[in-house]
Amino acid sequence: MAIFINKKTKLLVQGITGRDGSFHAEQMKKYGTDVVGGVTPGKGGTKVAGIPVFNTVSEAVKATKANTSVIYVPPPFAADAILEAADAGIKLIVCVTEGVPANDMMKVVPFVKERGARLIGPNCPGLISTDMSKVGILPGNIVKKGSVGVVSRSGTLTYEAIWALTLAGMGQTTCIGIGGDQVIGTNFIDVLDAFQNDKATKGIVMIGEIGGSDEEMAARFIQKNVTKPVVAFIAGQAAPPGKRMGHAGAIISGGSGTAADKIKALNKVGIAVAGSPTEIPGLLKEAMKKASAKADKKAVKKSATQVKKSDKKVKKTDKKDKKSTKKATTSKAKKR
Amino acid sequence: MKIHEYQAKEIFASVGIPVPPGEVASDPGTAEAIAVRYNKPVMVKSQVLVGGRGKAGGVKYAESPEAARVLATKILGMDIKGETVNKVLITEAVDILSESYVGIILDRATQRPVIMVSPAGGVDIEEVAAKTPEKIHKLAVDPVVGLKLFQARDLAYTLYRDIGQVRKCADILMKLYEAFWKVDASLVEINPLITTPGGDVLAIDAKVNIDDNALFRQKEVEAMRDLDAEEASEVKAREADLSYVKLDGYIGCCVNGAGLAMATMDLVKRYGGDPANFLDIGGSSNPQKVVTAMSIILTDPNVRAVLINIFGGITRCDDVATGIVQAFEEFKPTVPVVVRLTGTNEKEGQKILASCKLPSADTLDEAVKKAIELAGNAA
């Protein structure tokens, strides 16, 4: 098992005739991805590395039954390419392109959601489900099949972390880069939720960076919803405020979005934050050991306290109900 | 990208937001001439991209053209937080009855443009947000539907009671929203938006930040860029399509990928060094980019060692290696250069590099430690 992509993934490459598109179409094929077609307007009928090229996404979908698309088109056309894929019924769209205007993305993201599709990126390296499928630009030779899920806002820093895990003998289920822009289709919480529900994933590595508050929100989500051990790394501790550090989203503005704040938020909910990517495997091993010890203890205790616990649970949900009704009434009052 | 107040006001005026008349001067004589023409008291306002110019003495009231000349003489050439004042805006002084704040930012959490208005204007809005958040009213606008007049009016009512002023303010908010999209802004701000004793509502200050990613279709706005207000090395890097930020340390860093570039800087600090810069050579690799990157790093006199850290993905190690060899031939660097090369086409890259006989390292931590050690020897 893995998340988002697997052996059933049938991939289209938008922008397949470009330098990056053609190179990575071949790399993905080599990894074992089922690349069923490419799209470049005006180049329909030709072939790239034995892959048939179509003029439009809808034409390609009809001919190939593709369910996933990866985008390598230049920034001025990337938003349009995403819309075209969503409109043609593609359910998973991965946009590698860096430099897409944020104002375009603010309109694209709701459109994609409305079509029931998932967008990953833009400005992301894509994802790999080990030994099944690779979509994007992550190098296939650094991953290894295993039980760790990796999610990151970065590209090459993700490779660094994956490589450290692989060297330490800790293989991965799915590795995914969600992108370094301000407006992106899939955030940490979406991926954490998917990893939590994936049986094969036993531990999670989350790589964040300065800017925004996604890591803080992810910390709160983990505390409430993720029972699997999580280890983090946050890039940008040495970054000065007010300067964009490459990624459009990597900027400390008005004193918020600092690495220190993010590390504090993560530590507060018991997540260890590595000082270097090479420390990630060690910390994760430790966290996974602790988690399994806890699970063992629980299993022993469970039989003895089962009755009491279920009692408590009922009381708790009662309280919650009361709270939510209270909230509902106050918000009504305000509206009036 | 940041632009000056007078440029932001040009954008505002182009969508019909009322701003007091004003002109730019780069010498005291011109400043005086503008004031003579207005035949009224004026404000002399330094044009810098950094915040806090008022507190630094960069904004003054001039009763007469003579006073405007004296103040312009004082303000031009002034240093405000490291930025030299090259231009002043001479603008008609207006009587102020009340000061409010209105602004629109791209909000990451909601992924929408968020309009913020506050009756506490004329002061730092971040301070208001921290101390008295209840004084700020926010609205996240659905980007597909756009801002509707009733929403603008709702917000305007939180600032004014007089229906005439509410209408004027709502109109300004609609136009501000239009400007936000028109120039692909990440921030548009009027602080303060004022009322005059006569009942007018005016924008007497203006701030606009532009999304760098949209500059390819904002040629007019890009032409507003003030190259004098930027670090020369950063300008050169941008022209070569590199992300570069100059810092104060001594380990020059050349990395592919922004996240890894940040992590590399962090590790330099962690192991006792100090990074001289942030530099991301970007995705699609082109040997010439590496050559330019090396020339920028080697021009920094503080650099005592260079650390090249490449983890190939879309960037191919052989391209980078070719660039490194070329840079060595061209610049013959006198400081030690440590190379760490891994990922896509790694073997081909190592082969190309073999001729340079550079100190290399397999892991990032090792490479960082080695660069710091060699920088120590070089000092």
Side-chain angles (χ1 to χ4, degrees), chain A:
Chain A
M1 283 258 286
I3 65 166
F4 301 152
I5 57 170
N6 51 43
K7 271 286 168 205
K8 287 180 190 153
T9 297
K10 287 164 92 76
L11 184 71
L12 277 187
V13 180
Q14 289 177 258
I16 193 167
T17 52
R19 182 185 141 109
D20 295 330
S22 58
F23 178 80
H24 288 285
E26 242 187 300
Q27 296 283 321
M28 289 186 283
K29 222 176 140 181
K30 264 189 206 158
Y31 189 80
T33 309
D34 189 9
V35 185
V36 296
V39 177
T40 300
K43 298 271 173 74
T46 59
K47 279 192 173 180
V48 170
I51 303 159
V53 181
F54 300 87
N55 283 320
T56 68
V57 177
S58 68
E59 196 190 318
V61 168
K62 257 181 224 146
T64 64
K65 303 264 179 326
N67 52 21
T68 304
S69 168
V70 61
I71 294 170
Y72 294 96
V73 309
F77 315 108
D80 195 58
I82 298 169
L83 295 174
E84 186 185 357
D87 198 50
I90 295 282
K91 291 299 168 211
L92 178 68
I93 304 160
V94 180
C95 184
V96 173
T97 310
E98 174 172 9
V100 185
N103 282 0
D104 288 356
M105 290 313 301
M106 279 200 283
K107 288 181 177 172
V108 166
V109 169
F111 181 89
V112 171
K113 275 190 189 145
E114 193 203 304
R115 296 293 160 121
R118 169 179 298 287
L119 169 69
I120 297 174
N123 192 10
C124 81
L127 65 164
I128 293 187
S129 286
T130 48
D131 290 358
M132 289 191 263
S133 185
K134 145 175 150 137
V135 175
I137 60 173
L138 286 143
N141 60 328
I142 60 168
V143 298
K144 180 187 161 189
K145 197 176 170 63
S147 60
V148 180
V150 179
V151 57
S152 167
R153 265 169 75 186
S154 164
T156 47
L157 179 56
T158 321
Y159 312 162
E160 197 74 58
I162 296 169
W163 187 230
L165 287 167
T166 298
L167 285 178
M170 302 177 81
Q172 307 90 32
T173 48
T174 299
C175 302
I176 168 169
I178 56 174
D181 279 357
Q182 290 178 286
V183 183
I184 50 176
T186 295
N187 60 26
F188 277 132
I189 291 175
D190 300 325
V191 180
L192 288 166
D193 192 38
F195 277 140
Q196 172 66 23
N197 292 316
D198 174 43
K199 276 193 188 136
T201 303
K202 308 282 184 222
I204 302 167
V205 174
M206 177 178 127
I207 298 163
E209 63 188 32
I210 53 164
S213 55
D214 274 13
E215 290 79 0
E216 285 89 334
M217 287 193 280
R220 285 195 289 274
F221 179 83
I222 292 167
Q223 189 180 26
K224 277 192 186 159
N225 306 294
V226 179
T227 55
K228 295 177 183 177
V230 181
V231 166
F233 178 79
I234 303 292
Q237 298 190 56
K243 288 270 190 180
R244 169 177 148 169
M245 305 307 274
H247 287 159
I251 182 164
I252 299 167
S253 43
S256 77
T258 65
D261 282 353
K262 290 170 191 296
I263 292 169
K264 210 168 129 194
L266 289 161
N267 283 338
K268 208 177 140 192
V269 299
I271 298 166
V273 180
S276 158
T278 47
E279 286 178 9
I280 293 171
L283 288 175
L284 187 61
K285 240 175 223 168
E286 213 174 285
M288 284 167 90
K289 220 187 260 169
K290 258 191 214 161
S292 68
K294 231 187 203 173
D296 286 349
K297 253 190 198 169
K298 255 191 192 166
V300 176
K301 266 194 180 174
K302 217 181 183 182
S303 50
T305 54
Q306 225 165 16
V307 186
K308 269 188 186 172
K309 249 194 182 167
S310 57
D311 258 13
K312 263 186 191 168
K313 254 189 192 164
V314 173
K315 270 182 193 165
K316 254 188 191 167
T317 41
D318 253 18
K319 262 187 192 169
K320 255 191 194 164
D321 274 356
K322 268 182 197 164
K323 257 188 193 168
S324 56
T325 35
K326 238 188 194 175
K327 256 189 192 166
T329 40
T330 47
S331 64
K332 253 186 199 168
K334 254 185 193 168
K335 267 185 191 161
R336 273 176 204 161

Side-chain angles (χ1 to χ4, degrees), chain B residues 40-358:
Chain B
K40 269 184 184 171
V42 295
M43 298 300 294
V44 181
K45 304 176 87 178
S46 57
Q47 299 297 293
V48 283
L49 300 178
V50 292
R53 59 181 178 166
K55 273 182 200 155
V59 179
K60 295 281 181 200
Y61 172 76
E63 188 74 51
S64 64
E66 168 68 9
R69 189 174 54 79
V70 172
L71 285 168
T73 312
K74 230 190 210 169
I75 292 172
L76 285 164
M78 191 187 244
D79 179 282
I80 298 178
K81 292 184 184 166
E83 201 181 321
T84 310
V85 181
N86 293 318
K87 281 178 188 144
V88 287
L89 174 66
I90 309 297
T91 177
E92 277 187 25
V94 283
D95 289 332
I96 298 171
L97 205 63
S98 74
E99 292 182 293
S100 309
Y101 170 96
V102 304
I104 306 174
I105 55 153
L106 189 167
D107 180 57
R108 302 165 68 133
T110 56
Q111 305 207 325
R112 288 178 169 201
V114 167
I115 304 186
M116 292 192 294
V117 306
S118 172
V123 290
D124 186 3
I125 193 68
E126 272 144 17
E127 225 176 280
V128 179
K131 284 183 188 155
T132 47
E134 71 281 359
K135 283 189 182 163
I136 298 178
H137 302 270
K138 288 185 190 179
L139 173 75
V141 182
D142 181 337
V144 179
V145 180
L147 177 66
K148 297 292 146 195
L149 188 58
F150 79 91
Q151 294 171 314
R153 217 165 32 226
D154 269 1
L155 288 167
Y157 266 115
T158 65
L159 301 180
Y160 308 112
R161 284 166 179 257
D162 174 71
I163 182 65
Q165 286 178 341
V166 167
R167 283 200 180 115
K168 280 175 190 163
C169 174
D171 184 54
I172 289 171
L173 286 173
M174 296 296 287
K175 286 168 173 164
L176 194 64
Y177 187 78
E178 184 191 333
F180 181 86
W181 288 94
K182 186 183 167 193
V183 299
D184 281 310
S186 52
L187 169 108
V188 290
E189 193 176 85
I190 303 173
N191 189 21
L193 179 73
I194 60 128
T195 56
T196 64
D200 275 338
V201 182
L202 282 178
I204 65 164
D205 199 356
K207 188 172 169 185
V208 173
N209 291 351
I210 312 289
D211 175 9
D212 290 354
N213 284 353
L215 290 175
F216 68 83
R217 63 183 180 203
Q218 294 289 347
K219 295 291 171 213
E220 260 176 61
V221 180
E222 197 179 13
M224 292 178 171
R225 194 189 284 281
D226 182 358
L227 296 175
D228 294 335
E230 292 178 43
E231 192 76 46
S233 52
E234 290 180 15
V235 174
K236 186 177 172 188
R238 192 179 49 244
E239 279 163 2
D241 206 16
L242 301 166
S243 296
Y244 172 84
V245 177
K246 194 181 167 343
L247 303 169
D248 300 326
Y250 57 90
I251 306 277
C253 302
C254 176
V255 188
N256 70 316
L260 189 56
M262 275 188 269
T264 305
M265 283 165 37
D266 293 347
L267 286 184
V268 168
K269 270 239 161 115
R270 180 179 157 94
Y271 293 121
D274 202 0
N277 62 277
F278 165 94
L279 193 153
D280 170 15
I281 61 166
S284 219
S285 53
N286 163 352
Q288 193 50 45
K289 269 194 181 180
V290 181
V291 177
T292 313
M294 287 296 284
S295 88
I296 290 168
I297 292 172
L298 292 169
T299 317
D300 181 348
N302 296 332
V303 168
R304 301 211 303 261
V306 180
L307 170 61
I308 301 176
N309 180 25
I310 304 295
F311 207 125
I314 205 162
T315 304
R316 304 177 206 171
C317 290
D318 51 334
D319 284 343
V320 174
T322 307
I324 296 172
V325 172
Q326 230 171 298
F328 260 80
E329 281 166 6
E330 227 171 280
F331 313 121
K332 305 199 168 49
T334 50
V335 296
V337 177
V338 178
V339 182
R340 188 263 182 149
L341 208 56
T342 186
T344 311
N345 292 1
E346 172 184 336
K347 276 181 199 155
E348 291 86 339
Q350 300 287 11
K351 241 182 236 165
I352 295 167
L353 270 191
S355 65
C356 286
K357 295 200 177 90
L358 294 170

